[in-house]
Amino acid sequence: ITHSYTERKLFDEASFYLHEGEKVGIIGINGTGKSTLLKIMAGLEIPDEGQVIKAANMMIHYLPQNPIFNEEDTVLESVQNMIHHHANEDELVKAKAMMTRLGITDFEQKTSELSGGQRKRLALVSVLITPCDILILDEPTNHLDLDAIAWLEEFLINFDNTVIVVSHDRYFLNKVCTHIADIDYGKIQLYAGNYDFWYESSQLLIRQMKEANKKKEEKIKELQDFIQRFSANASKSKQATSRKRALEKIELDDIRPSSRKYPYIDFRPNREIGNDVLVVDGISKTIDGVKVLDNISFILGHDDKIAFVGSNEAATTTLFRILVGEIEPDEGSFKWGVTTSQAYFPKDSGAEFNSDSTIVEWLTQYSPDPDTTYVRGFLGRMLFAGDDGMKKVKVLSGGEKVRCLL
């Protein structure tokens, strides 16, 4: 297939094939077209050139990166609508059990009231609940807690048919995938094995090509030396001609290093902070009649790095919003150290990018220095080089939005 998005060519005569029962992880840097490839395979987009050929009567279920719901539907109605037919009693029982396992227990709740994580889980239930031949999943682990990810891993491992998944979670890819499809330079290279095996294989392939090229270069020099020495020698002219032909046949492998580049992320404090970083004392908070925080207390020290884990994402998000001053606690208090400053990366940031601003314009609103050169310096660190800064933020991929937020 060959396919472009806006003015950018994502795929250039890219080809690969899958067999029944394979579980394939699609990998590649942000903006290489992973989500577009899934849509093309699901039949939701048509490539500019080329085609996707599927076996007859294949049933495909597709999970988008950002599921869209009818905001007026209840949780249960949404599942029924996304199943594409009126669910029978067995399917509803199975759906309720699956939703409960993933932390969704109020089946009459409006989808408009769901958090980003709950919406993703609800969409996940909708594609997993009925049988299909091919599961196409776009970043299914986003917003899932550790227990939910473990459950999904086991589900996919035990799923008998084909799975095609985009994920940046290498542990998930290692556990689930039998193959890795790497998108680079507009081509798709398929590797047997999981993510770790892909990494080792791709590095080994480059080493082997370099070694082969080295041997070829040595042979080229040897032939060139012979030709130079004996081309004017009548008795050796036949041998020189023969070596000329041999020289013409030697072709060096075209070794292109991966186009992957790594961002430069540097959270540098304005000044050295003191030992008192954060004290949280007896914070409680009730939302819509549900107590999500109940007498929470802890102390954060100078060198601490803390991960908040657990299935209650509303509790964590609520705590973070309190700590950055977006909402007030019902009870209790917190105190940041006087030498500290805070920056907040929210879980749901979709509205942040719903504008016609370019990346440069969007980032300038957060910059202490409005100078374009200063702002572009930070964009360059996060791999937005040159004209990339003039892209509209509303067309960015999920990964590119994350880089902008960082």
Side-chain angles (χ1 to χ4, degrees), residues 80-97:
Q80 286 185 311
N81 292 340
M82 293 177 81
I83 288 174
H84 300 304
H85 65 263
H86 188 71
N88 59 43
E89 195 58 38
D90 286 345
E91 287 172 337
L92 286 180
V93 169
K94 191 177 171 186
K96 287 178 180 178

Side-chain angles (χ1 to χ4, degrees), residues 30 263 265 267 344-346 349 352-353 357-367 375 378-384 388-406:
N30 299 144
I265 300 174
F267 292 118
Y344 180 47
F345 185 111
S349 56
E352 193 66 66
F353 298 96
S357 300
T358 65
I359 298 177
V360 171
E361 291 167 345
W362 180 87
L363 189 59
T364 300
Q365 67 182 314
Y366 299 105
S367 176
V375 172
F378 278 88
L379 288 176
R381 289 184 191 181
M382 299 306 290
L383 310 182
F384 294 106
D388 286 347
M390 303 314 293
K391 269 186 179 177
K392 301 282 189 185
V393 292
K394 64 184 179 186
V395 303
L396 297 179
S397 70
E400 287 172 323
K401 288 175 181 176
V402 166
R403 296 211 312 271
C404 279
L405 284 168
L406 284 171

Side-chain angles (χ1 to χ4, degrees), residues 12 16 41 54 62 76 81 120 126 161 182 240 282 298 313:
D12 184 12
F16 74 109
M41 288 193 284
K54 299 184 285 283
Y62 167 68
L76 203 55
N81 292 340
K120 191 77 172 191
S126 302
N161 297 331
D182 181 25
F298 62 89
E313 60 175 317

Side-chain angles (χ1 to χ4, degrees), residues 36-214:
T36 302
L37 179 63
L38 294 193
K39 289 174 187 172
I40 288 172
M41 288 193 284
L44 300 174
E45 284 194 23
I46 299 170
D48 299 335
E49 297 174 32
Q51 58 185 323
V52 177
I53 302 164
K54 299 184 285 283
N57 303 317
M58 285 277 113
M59 174 65 76
I60 296 174
H61 287 181
Y62 167 68
L63 174 75
Q65 191 176 130
N66 299 302
I68 297 171
F69 299 92
N70 182 338
E71 302 294 330
E72 293 304 310
D73 284 346
T74 65
V75 164
L76 203 55
E77 286 168 345
S78 285
V79 171
Q80 286 185 311
N81 292 340
M82 293 177 81
I83 288 174
H84 300 304
H85 65 263
H86 188 71
N88 59 43
E89 195 58 38
D90 286 345
E91 287 172 337
L92 286 180
V93 169
K94 191 177 171 186
K96 287 178 180 178
M98 200 177 279
M99 284 190 282
T100 302
R101 181 67 185 79
L102 290 173
I104 300 173
T105 53
D106 184 355
F107 307 133
E108 297 306 314
Q109 187 178 11
K110 296 284 188 185
T111 56
S112 58
E113 300 168 4
L114 298 179
S115 68
Q118 289 172 318
R119 292 166 82 91
K120 191 77 172 191
R121 294 175 202 185
L122 182 59
L124 197 54
V125 169
S126 302
V127 298
L128 299 182
I129 197 68
T130 52
C132 67
D133 302 294
I134 303 173
L135 265 178
I136 298 180
L137 309 174
D138 196 348
E139 303 208 26
T141 60
N142 280 11
H143 299 302
L144 298 190
D145 60 64
L146 298 177
D147 287 342
I149 291 173
W151 176 85
L152 179 61
E153 287 171 348
E154 290 305 313
F155 182 96
L156 296 178
I157 288 167
N158 295 318
F159 181 71
D160 290 331
N161 297 331
T162 305
V163 177
I164 304 168
V165 59
V166 165
S167 176
H168 292 286
D169 182 342
R170 66 180 183 275
Y171 304 105
F172 175 80
L173 293 173
N174 272 337
K175 194 93 180 277
V176 169
C177 294
T178 62
H179 292 73
I180 296 291
D182 181 25
I183 303 176
D184 209 359
Y185 294 109
K187 304 292 186 185
I188 302 168
Q189 180 74 41
L190 192 65
Y191 295 81
N194 63 11
Y195 181 88
D196 281 349
F197 193 83
W198 159 79
Y199 183 79
E200 293 298 329
S201 298
S202 59
Q203 297 302 304
L204 177 63
L205 186 62
I206 290 171
R207 285 198 300 272
Q208 287 174 335
M209 289 170 73
K210 283 180 177 176
E211 286 168 12
N213 273 0
K214 189 180 176 185

